[in-house]
């Protein structure tokens, strides 16, 4: 028996969408979006727009539990993931099994915006202002940022590039 190093159902690179292949070459932060209920999803397609008010903009899977939760909830908490959080990211993305659900894989702090990963280097709480607009195959979500918590300024950040995780580290 041979174990393959690649996903057995993934089309060869030449058959994949060129847009998706281009996007895969952009390093992306790995965050965890959660909402009361709880519901959650790993999200790497996001922007933070500073201003008065500051906004969170993200693309989420319209078929996800989080999208379903947004029908009843108007808040979202976003936790920044770091090294050691790859399994959690994969579980919330539906890529690996999580018996009992992915929320059992870590400790959480309840907030007014949703559960926040305990020990995260940074998180924000935001109020949804648009959760119905489509962008490509995704649901474009806009939210007004109401709270930002920053912990260790030297903590690393988990990133995703070409289907693999990496870590950005701050060096003096």
């Amino acid at each position: 028996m041979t174990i393959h190093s690649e996903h057995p159902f993934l089309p060869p690179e030449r058959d994949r969408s060129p847009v998706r292949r281009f996007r895969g070459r952009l390093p992306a932060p790995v965050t965890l979006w959660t909402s009361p209920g709880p519901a959650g999803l790993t999200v790497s397609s996001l922007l933070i727009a500073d201003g008065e008010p500051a906004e969170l903009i993200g693309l989420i899977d319209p078929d996800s539990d989080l999208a379903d939760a947004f029908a009843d909830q108007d808040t979202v908490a976003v936790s920044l993931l770091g090294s050691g959080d790859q399994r959690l990211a994969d579980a919330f993305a539906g890529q690996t099994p999580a018996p009992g659900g992915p929320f059992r894989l870590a400790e959480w702090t309840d907030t007014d915006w949703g559960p926040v990963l305990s020990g995260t280097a940074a998180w924000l709480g935001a109020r949804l202002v648009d959760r119905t607009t489509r962008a490509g195959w995704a649901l474009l979500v806009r939210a007004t940022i109401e709270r930002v918590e920053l912990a260790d300024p030297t903590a690393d950040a988990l990133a995703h590039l070409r289907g693999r995780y990496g870590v950005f580290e701050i060096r003096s």
Side-chain angles (χ1 to χ4, degrees):
M1 175 189 263
T2 303
I3 302 291
H4 300 280
S5 61
E6 65 277 342
H7 191 289
F9 303 112
L10 192 63
E13 181 149 346
R14 68 183 178 282
D15 295 339
R16 294 182 213 155
S17 160
V19 171
R20 185 176 176 118
R21 289 169 49 205
F22 182 89
R23 185 187 68 192
R25 286 166 168 76
L26 301 174
V30 182
T31 63
L32 187 56
W33 290 35
T34 58
S35 187
L41 183 67
T42 303
V43 177
S44 290
S45 298
L46 73 138
L47 294 169
I48 304 293
D50 198 4
E52 292 296 330
E55 286 196 25
L56 165 69
I57 301 165
L59 298 175
I60 68 167
D61 181 349
D63 297 324
S64 67
D65 291 343
L66 185 64
D68 292 342
F70 283 169
D72 300 321
Q73 301 291 336
D74 66 348
T75 60
V76 64
V78 178
S79 299
L80 181 63
L81 299 185
S83 63
D85 291 329
Q86 294 92 333
R87 181 169 182 247
L88 188 64
D90 283 344
F92 274 94
Q95 300 297 312
T96 59
F103 281 97
R104 289 187 169 223
L105 298 177
E107 297 293 321
W108 304 92
T109 302
D110 286 328
T111 72
D112 291 340
W113 300 272
V116 169
L117 180 64
S118 296
T120 186
W123 69 272
L124 64 81
R127 188 152 316 272
L128 301 172
V129 294
D130 182 7
R131 53 190 176 253
T132 61
T133 303
R134 295 295 289 249
W137 289 331
L139 184 64
L140 187 141
V141 175
R142 286 183 53 218
T144 301
I145 298 172
E146 296 180 337
R147 181 170 177 178
V148 176
E149 291 289 329
L150 304 171
D152 182 359
T154 63
D156 59 28
L158 191 61
H160 198 258
L161 178 67
R162 298 208 60 190
R164 292 185 172 74
Y165 291 113
V167 176
F168 286 105
E169 298 177 18
I170 303 297
R171 296 187 181 150
S172 335

